[in-house]
Amino acid sequence: MKKNTVLFFLAVFALTGCSPGHISARVYLYRAGQSFYKTDNKLRRIQKMPFEERKKYYGEACRLYFKAFQLDSSVFNLDEIEHALQCCESSEEHAITAALQDFYALYQSEHPVESDYGMMTGAAVSEG
């Protein structure tokens, strides 16, 4: 990420009253998502890298997701929790996986609509 972009986001978050922990969590979550995408899409689908060779990359993404989780778990949505779990399970990070599974269960109970229907940005749920 370019330095100017980082400074812009820091200024936006600061002006909106976000805490330093929340800002850091967002940065770690972004980095984790990029690492997950690179590993899962580029290395697995495009380059066809064997699973055993990809495990260390999943581990890097897992640890980034966990740093974000430790700083501020409110930055996660259901998809991001699922990606974090996939990374941690794939890299055999058992302790982190257990913590994220507990968080996943809690998140699902607190967000039943998202859990049932997935992310619905801008869409309305029809009851009829």
Side-chain angles (χ1 to χ4, degrees):
M1 196 177 331
K2 292 182 180 181
K3 184 177 179 181
N4 290 340
T5 305
V6 171
L7 292 175
F8 171 76
F9 282 114
L10 290 175
V12 168
F13 284 131
L15 292 173
T16 59
C18 293
S19 71
H22 183 84
I23 296 167
S24 294
R26 288 263 181 216
V27 171
Y28 279 113
L29 187 64
Y30 173 80
R31 289 178 52 206
Q34 294 299 304
S35 182
F36 169 74
Y37 176 79
K38 173 188 166 201
T39 303
D40 199 57
N41 188 53
K42 184 178 178 187
L43 300 180
R44 180 175 72 91
R45 292 184 181 140
I46 298 171
Q47 293 181 6
K48 311 238 185 275
M49 181 183 282
F51 176 73
E52 286 301 316
E53 292 178 34
R54 290 192 320 269
K55 282 173 77 170
K56 68 179 177 183
Y57 299 105
Y58 284 121
E60 291 171 16
C62 171
R63 289 183 291 280
L64 290 169
Y65 277 119
F66 193 59
K67 284 181 184 178
F69 170 76
Q70 290 175 308
L71 288 166
D72 187 349
S73 63
S74 72
V75 300
F76 282 83
N77 64 34
L78 191 66
D79 286 342
E80 290 158 337
I81 299 168
E82 290 172 347
H83 292 162
L85 278 169
Q86 181 181 344
C87 290
C88 295
E89 289 169 352
S90 294
S91 63
E92 299 175 1
E93 296 276 357
H94 303 293
I96 297 174
T97 299
L100 291 174
Q101 285 172 333
D102 291 343
F103 176 54
Y104 186 57
L106 178 64
Y107 188 94
Q108 287 180 308
S109 70
E110 292 176 351
H111 301 85
V113 173
E114 182 182 351
S115 297
D116 287 343
Y117 299 103
M119 295 296 293
M120 297 181 293
T121 55
V125 178
S126 173
E127 300 266 339

